[in-house]
Amino acid sequence: MELTTNERQGIIVWVYSLRHFKTLKRFGLIHYASRRMKYVVMYINQSDVEMTQKN
């Protein structure tokens, strides 16, 4: 059995309200969400970065 790694890229998304947090879960892995400054740090597969940023 071999392990394969996916190349990932971290992006920071500023949101107006944290209720958008749930919709961001479908795009990638949520690493951190700041309630006070209203931003989300998430990791996305390298191959999906451009398409995800457009959405």
Side-chain angles (χ1 to χ4, degrees), residues 13-47:
V13 181
W14 277 269
V15 292
Y16 182 73
S17 172
L18 280 183
R19 67 180 161 186
H20 301 291
F21 178 81
K22 291 180 183 178
T23 58
L24 288 175
K25 282 184 183 179
R26 67 180 180 173
F27 293 112
L29 175 73
I30 304 281
H31 179 68
Y32 178 75
S34 171
R35 295 185 186 277
R36 187 175 65 105
M37 294 177 31
K38 297 183 181 173
Y39 70 89
V40 176
V41 178
M42 59 188 304
Y43 289 103
I44 302 173
N45 289 337
Q46 187 71 34
S47 60

